[in-house]
Amino acid sequence: MILKTSTPILLLALSVAILLQGCVIPTRLSAVPENAIAHAEVPGMPGIRFMAGDDTTQFKSGAQHILESELAFRAKTGQVGPLPPVDFLAISGGSDKGAYGAGLLCGWTVAGNRPEFKLVTGVSTGALIAPFAFLGPKYDAKLKALYTNSSQDHILEERSLMSVVFDDAMADNRPLWRLLEKHITPEMLREIAQEYTKGRILLVATTNLDSQRSVIWNLTKIAASGHPQALDLFRKVMMASTAIPGAFPPSMIEVQANGKHYQEMHVDGGATSQVFAYPAKFHLREYAAQMGIQRERKLYIILNAFLDPEWAEVERRSFTIASKAIESLIRTKSIGDLYRIYATAQRDDIDFNLTYIPSTFIIPHKEDFNTDYMRQLFKEGYDVAVTGHPWEKSPPGF
């Protein structure tokens, strides 16, 4: 029997066939098997990361190394007496709203009371800010340029509509890679490695999509590894932490486990956590007591987001509804992360300090990575710091 096909359907089928000829579906190596995840390492750079939520053995080992490095550096430079107070900084995700955190850090320098942070952590856009914040005021000009001179063209290249079905993202983030090549230089890596020898640490989070786990990367240890691929991996981890799933391509990171080669798929750290300080399972006060360490500790959190609900009549369209729901989910997830961090800080006797974008900032956000919007948000953060706006001592509504 011969089926008769109408002309429109035949033309549609031919059109799809022609389009498919030009489509190259991305491939990958096999993911790490579930029973081997704990053994997966980047070749040549062992111990540069750990899974959030696992037992804290690896994190304790890292903390021990940091303490020993600090004590050795103090002895080498003739510093005596009690250990000085330390300051921690956690920078959240928030896409182009990272301009707020960048402005706040630059304004904090001008205010004259910005500390040198012993620990800096970052997620998503916070991961982009974190290395500049870690190295201090000498990098303020580059940080400002990154968030006030960039536009959408510096971050992404749009792909065709077919990419929704046949590619790994709707946009290509190669422009962002070129931006990282410009700013994350070999010299910067050497400076970060040098700070690691003083007992300071820089961490950023990605999400391993295969295992649906948050992965914390020790960028200071990567920088200090001396591995020929350290700079490339450093940039790749930063790219992964900013790779919004579906919008930007994931970072495919090759690892070894039990003698076999695999490939992990890493995306935006914000998929599992909007902001973090250190694992909640790690009882810092108890650990310090065991080590005979007494010192004051302060934690500063820069949340590149609004925490107050934003009312707006939602258009009855699938994309608008989904976007609004995701926005609401991210906001509530941020609040949940703040509650977790606050509870951990209270337990470990750490002074909690929080800032986020005030509801009084009402500049319209017409599109992502709009230069004018980012410049005004940068100025908002800058003015908040320069005028000495008080840090909040607990999460909103606590």
Side-chain angles (χ1 to χ4, degrees), residues 322-337:
S323 297
K324 194 69 175 180
I326 292 172
E327 181 184 318
S328 177
L329 178 65
I330 291 173
R331 186 183 67 83
T332 52
K333 180 71 174 69
S334 297
I335 295 174
D337 288 339

Side-chain angles (χ1 to χ4, degrees), residues 13 41 85 89 98 102 134 163 176 182 232 265 267 306 330 345 374:
E41 295 275 13
L89 175 66
F134 181 75
S163 64
L176 178 59
K182 176 182 177 182
D232 183 74
M265 180 181 289
V267 297
F306 296 94
I330 291 173
M374 290 194 293

Side-chain angles (χ1 to χ4, degrees), residues 364-396:
H365 190 206
K366 297 178 181 179
E367 64 177 4
D368 288 336
F369 307 109
N370 177 275
T371 306
D372 289 337
Y373 178 84
M374 290 194 293
R375 285 175 178 172
Q376 293 188 68
L377 189 52
F378 179 94
K379 184 179 184 303
E380 178 72 21
Y382 182 93
D383 290 344
V384 164
V386 169
T387 57
H389 182 77
W391 294 79
E392 298 199 18
K393 306 304 292 184
S394 65

Side-chain angles (χ1 to χ4, degrees), residues 259-277:
K260 296 182 179 179
H261 290 269
Y262 300 99
Q263 215 173 34
E264 297 175 340
M265 180 181 289
H266 287 262
V267 297
D268 196 327
T272 43
S273 177
Q274 286 296 306
V275 63
F276 76 100

